Amino acid sequence: MRLFLLMASATALMTAACDGEGSRVSTVSITDDGGPLKVVTTLQCPQTQGPLTRKGGPAADGLSCDYAGPRGSEVTLHLVALDGADATEALKAFETRLSSELPAAEARLASAPMEQAADATVDVRSETVDGVEHAEVRMPGVDIQAKGDDAVVRLPGMSIDASGNKAIVRIGGLQINADDASEQVSITTEDEALDIRAHGDATVVRTRAPGKSVRANFILTDGSGEARGLWRVVGYEARGPSGGPIVVATVKSKGRNEDGLFDAARDLVRLNVGD
């Protein structure tokens, strides 16, 4: 039952500006996944955006501006030139710097890699042998085999492989790995657009929309009371044409639930480059 609840929670998680002046648009990149994204050379940094208030003026070079949010949270808007490099490299650098703010969470996630669950071995019988229950169910489109705590379930477009406290669920291109004993959950897709991992109170979420343009975000949280750093949630929202520049809003929060903060960061990014 604990394993089922852990997997259900993971599935629920799945279905869960310079005062308007000086922005110069030089070209427009037409994308196939959300409309045109602008190529800008100077950020738009409004005085306020949702719960955010700009701290001072934008940087003199127009490449960054800082915002203060509720409960000491911080958002910084960056304009990042790629100079021929892949956006993945630039975003990885942001991820590394942000992750260093939550060393305890980063350590827990790094020290507990997800293990693959073993396939169940099931006798083709419905009986109890040495106190272990064996069962097999077959019907058109359905194949269920179980032995004790191990099970293999095959349904059209869906498979489940469970062994003890571990399970792998595949639904189309989506894969959910769950380990009840170590409290780990990992969710990935074939196109690597979504990656969610959890271990105890530490969770990391990465998304990258398909297509040539850059639409990505990263969130790392530490929900434990033993968080060593100042922040409890860090992350970024990033958008831009594939050749750059890309606009990245980094977020640092002392609270655990800061949906409004990330929404405001996303709105700042959209204000500059579009949807």
Side-chain angles (χ1 to χ4, degrees), residues 144-164:
I144 302 174
Q145 301 181 50
K147 178 182 178 181
D149 292 333
D150 298 349
V152 174
V153 180
R154 298 291 184 266
L155 300 170
M158 177 180 178
S159 69
I160 301 175
D161 294 88
S163 179

Side-chain angles (χ1 to χ4, degrees), residues 97-162:
R97 290 197 296 270
L98 289 166
S99 297
S100 68
E101 302 284 1
L102 294 179
E106 181 73 1
R108 287 200 298 276
L109 290 166
S111 65
M114 178 59 60
E115 298 180 3
Q116 296 293 311
D119 289 338
T121 301
V122 181
D123 292 342
V124 185
R125 292 177 292 182
S126 178
E127 56 184 340
T128 299
V129 179
D130 295 330
V132 178
E133 295 182 356
H134 296 245
E136 179 178 352
V137 177
R138 291 181 182 272
M139 63 185 67
V142 177
D143 184 358
I144 302 174
Q145 301 181 50
K147 178 182 178 181
D149 292 333
D150 298 349
V152 174
V153 180
R154 298 291 184 266
L155 300 170
M158 177 180 178
S159 69
I160 301 175
D161 294 88

Side-chain angles (χ1 to χ4, degrees), residues 18 43 57 63 70 88 107 116 127 134 138 150 159 171 214 230 238 240 243 266:
C18 310
L43 288 171
L63 301 183
T88 301
Q116 296 293 311
E127 56 184 340
H134 296 245
R138 291 181 182 272
D150 298 349
S159 69
I171 306 173
V214 178
L230 174 65
R266 187 180 301 112

Side-chain angles (χ1 to χ4, degrees), residues 30 34 73 150 171 176 185 199 204 217 251 258:
I30 303 299
S73 57
D150 298 349
I171 306 173
I176 302 173
V185 178
H199 180 222
V204 61
N217 68 14
V251 177
E258 295 291 359

